[in-house]
């Protein structure tokens, strides 16, 4: 172990160079303690680490546009929210910037919640909406920081729904096929199909011919299939059969136009489903530095969809 020597002292008025007045005392020198002190000093000089866990959830109601020229266009109503949870290595609060981009972000209406302050138009980055977020370290759970609403038309739906009614003399075969879009991130869950049977059919003759867990409610005149789940990229087909009502038979006898009859025999369909790994809007969310910090972002998404086909 290396040793350093210091002067223990001298009598008052003594000469430091006088060997008789000089006394040396050895003192231990610890290089490891010096290394630890230097390491702590370097760590304190580094920017803090900020872990930001964001979650987007969207409650979505949509309706297929009843227009032959509209293709697979749907009217989309979105009620979304963004929650955040932070974990910072420093004792003080470390703010960050929340950036929202995408075509739908420019059309959405935003409402700042707790710990969230919208920037002015001059402070926004081009093509994005910016908010400043400052969540106290004492906030040890996720909190809602932003909500938004959206009303747009889009072709980018997570499901494709096709319905068809085929006339067979005095009865018809009704079908609905739902396909999970290949662009979806994962599977759909809580998947149900509800089909309304109009009064052009005789309710006493309704029979489910395809689809698991299907039930017919004669009072409400609806068939419900509780499928459960639909895997990514797969499709589901449900069918039912029913005889025509007396009034519909009379109308057919007067005007046997099959195409016109099938139009009156169309059955509205309602599809419900959820996803724990995806969102429906095209809005992208990211975090940026507000003050120097090492940002680590973790983003998750979910939605619940109610889609109508008239």
């Amino acid at each position: 172990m290396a040793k350093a020597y210091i002067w223990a002292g001298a009598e008052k008025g003594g000469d430091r160079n006088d060997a008789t007045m000089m006394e040396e005392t050895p003192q231990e020198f610890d290089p490891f303690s010096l290394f630890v002190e230097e390491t702590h000093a370097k760590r304190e000089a580094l920017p803090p680490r900020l872990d930001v866990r964001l979650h987007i959830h969207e409650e979505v109601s949509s309706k297929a546009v009843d227009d032959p020229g509209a293709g697979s266009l749907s009217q989309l109503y979105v009620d979304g929210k963004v929650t955040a949870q932070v974990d910072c290595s420093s004792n003080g609060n470390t703010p960050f910037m929340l950036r929202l981009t995408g075509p739908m972000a420019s059309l959405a209406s935003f409402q700042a919640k707790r710990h969230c302050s919208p920037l002015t138009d001059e402070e926004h980055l081009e093509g994005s909406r910016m908010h400043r977020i400052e969540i106290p370290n004492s906030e040890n759970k996720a909190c809602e920081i932003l909500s938004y609403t959206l009303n747009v038309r889009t072709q980018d739906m997570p499901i494709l729904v096709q319905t068809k009614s085929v006339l067979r003399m005095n009865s018809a075969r009704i079908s609905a096929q739902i396909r999970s879009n290949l662009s979806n991130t994962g599977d759909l869950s809580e998947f149900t199909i509800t089909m309304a049977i109009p009064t052009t059919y005789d309710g006493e003759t309704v029979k489910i011919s395809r689809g698991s867990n299907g039930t017919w409610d004669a009072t409400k005149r609806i068939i419900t299939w509780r499928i459960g789940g639909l895997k990514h990229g797969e499709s589901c087909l449900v069918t039912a059969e029913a005889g025509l009502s007396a009034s519909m038979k009379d109308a057919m006898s007067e005007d046997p136009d099959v195409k016109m009859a099938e139009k009156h025999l169309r059955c509205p369909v309602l599809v419900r489903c959820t996803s724990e790994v995806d969102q429906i809007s095209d809005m992208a969310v990211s975090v940026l530095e507000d003050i120097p910090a090492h940002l680590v972002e973790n983003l998750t998404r979910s939605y619940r969809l109610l889609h109508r086909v008239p």
Side-chain angles (χ1 to χ4, degrees), residues 73-128:
L73 197 63
S74 294
Q75 188 71 40
L76 196 66
Y77 305 90
V78 181
D79 186 3
K81 66 178 181 179
V82 181
T83 59
Q85 185 174 3
V86 298
D87 184 13
C88 185
S89 62
S90 69
N91 294 326
N93 301 334
T94 303
F96 63 92
M97 306 302 295
L98 184 71
R99 184 184 185 187
L100 303 109
T101 57
M104 291 187 185
S106 61
L107 301 173
S109 175
F110 294 96
Q111 183 177 3
K113 301 293 186 177
R114 294 174 57 204
H115 316 309
C116 177
S117 303
L119 300 189
T120 63
D121 292 339
E122 292 75 14
E123 295 175 299
H124 288 303
L125 296 178
E126 184 178 356
S128 64

Side-chain angles (χ1 to χ4, degrees), residues 8 10-11 59 95 113 128 286:
E11 292 183 5
E59 294 284 334
K113 301 293 186 177
S128 64
S286 59

Side-chain angles (χ1 to χ4, degrees), residues 232-250:
H232 170 249
E234 293 190 357
S235 62
C236 173
L237 176 65
V238 295
T239 61
E241 297 177 4
L244 305 185
S245 65
S247 59
M248 190 62 191
K249 290 178 183 178
D250 293 340

Side-chain angles (χ1 to χ4, degrees), residues 212-256:
S212 58
N213 299 322
T215 56
W216 160 243
D217 187 327
T219 304
K220 297 180 179 179
R221 296 186 65 90
I222 59 172
I223 304 173
T224 302
W225 288 269
R226 302 186 186 280
I227 308 299
L230 185 63
K231 292 188 177 296
H232 170 249
E234 293 190 357
S235 62
C236 173
L237 176 65
V238 295
T239 61
E241 297 177 4
L244 305 185
S245 65
S247 59
M248 190 62 191
K249 290 178 183 178
D250 293 340
M252 284 290 297
S253 63
E254 295 176 5
D255 182 7

Side-chain angles (χ1 to χ4, degrees), residues 28-290:
E28 296 292 333
F29 174 71
D30 187 356
F32 179 73
S33 297
L34 180 61
F35 170 76
V36 171
E37 291 176 1
E38 290 177 347
T39 302
H40 284 318
K42 289 180 180 178
R43 285 180 178 175
E44 290 177 357
L46 291 174
R49 175 188 170 104
L50 182 64
D51 291 278
V52 182
R53 291 179 287 278
L54 298 173
H55 182 74
I56 300 176
H57 178 73
E58 295 181 335
E59 294 284 334
V60 183
S61 175
S62 60
K63 182 180 179 180
V65 177
D66 191 12
D67 182 355
S72 57
L73 197 63
S74 294
Q75 188 71 40
L76 196 66
Y77 305 90
V78 181
D79 186 3
K81 66 178 181 179
V82 181
T83 59
Q85 185 174 3
V86 298
D87 184 13
C88 185
S89 62
S90 69
N91 294 326
N93 301 334
T94 303
F96 63 92
M97 306 302 295
L98 184 71
R99 184 184 185 187
L100 303 109
T101 57
M104 291 187 185
S106 61
L107 301 173
S109 175
F110 294 96
Q111 183 177 3
K113 301 293 186 177
R114 294 174 57 204
H115 316 309
C116 177
S117 303
L119 300 189
T120 63
D121 292 339
E122 292 75 14
E123 295 175 299
H124 288 303
L125 296 178
E126 184 178 356
S128 64
R129 303 289 295 273
M130 303 289 294
H131 293 75
R132 187 176 188 269
I133 313 297
E134 185 171 5
I135 302 176
N137 283 346
S138 58
E139 190 87 37
N140 55 10
K141 60 181 180 180
C143 59
E144 183 179 350
I145 56 174
L146 189 69
S147 65
Y148 57 93
T149 55
L150 191 61
N151 184 356
V152 294
R153 286 190 171 189
T154 182
Q155 289 184 323
D156 298 324
M157 293 295 292
I159 56 174
L160 175 64
V161 182
Q162 295 176 311
T163 61
K164 192 174 184 180
S165 297
V166 180
L167 188 62
R168 296 178 174 178
M169 297 297 289
N170 290 326
S171 66
R173 184 174 183 267
I174 317 150
S175 64
Q177 185 172 31
I178 295 87
R179 179 178 295 277
S180 172
N181 200 319
L182 285 170
S183 62
N184 294 346
T185 302
D187 302 339
L188 300 176
S189 57
E190 299 180 10
F191 182 69
T192 64
I193 304 168
T194 302
M195 180 182 290
I197 305 300
T199 55
T200 49
Y201 292 99
D202 180 2
E204 298 294 329
T205 64
V206 174
K207 184 178 71 171
I208 299 170
S209 53
R210 183 167 181 172
S212 58
N213 299 322
T215 56
W216 160 243
D217 187 327
T219 304
K220 297 180 179 179
R221 296 186 65 90
I222 59 172
I223 304 173
T224 302
W225 288 269
R226 302 186 186 280
I227 308 299
L230 185 63
K231 292 188 177 296
H232 170 249
E234 293 190 357
S235 62
C236 173
L237 176 65
V238 295
T239 61
E241 297 177 4
L244 305 185
S245 65
S247 59
M248 190 62 191
K249 290 178 183 178
D250 293 340
M252 284 290 297
S253 63
E254 295 176 5
D255 182 7
D257 187 337
V258 174
K259 293 294 182 183
M260 183 59 67
E262 289 181 347
K263 184 177 180 180
H264 291 287
L265 294 171
R266 287 176 59 181
C267 297
V269 170
L270 177 66
V271 180
R272 292 183 175 89
C273 61
T274 63
S275 172
E276 297 298 326
V277 293
D278 216 341
Q279 70 184 78
I280 293 182
S281 74
D282 65 2
M283 189 164 57
V285 178
S286 59
V287 296
L288 303 173
E289 287 185 6
D290 182 44

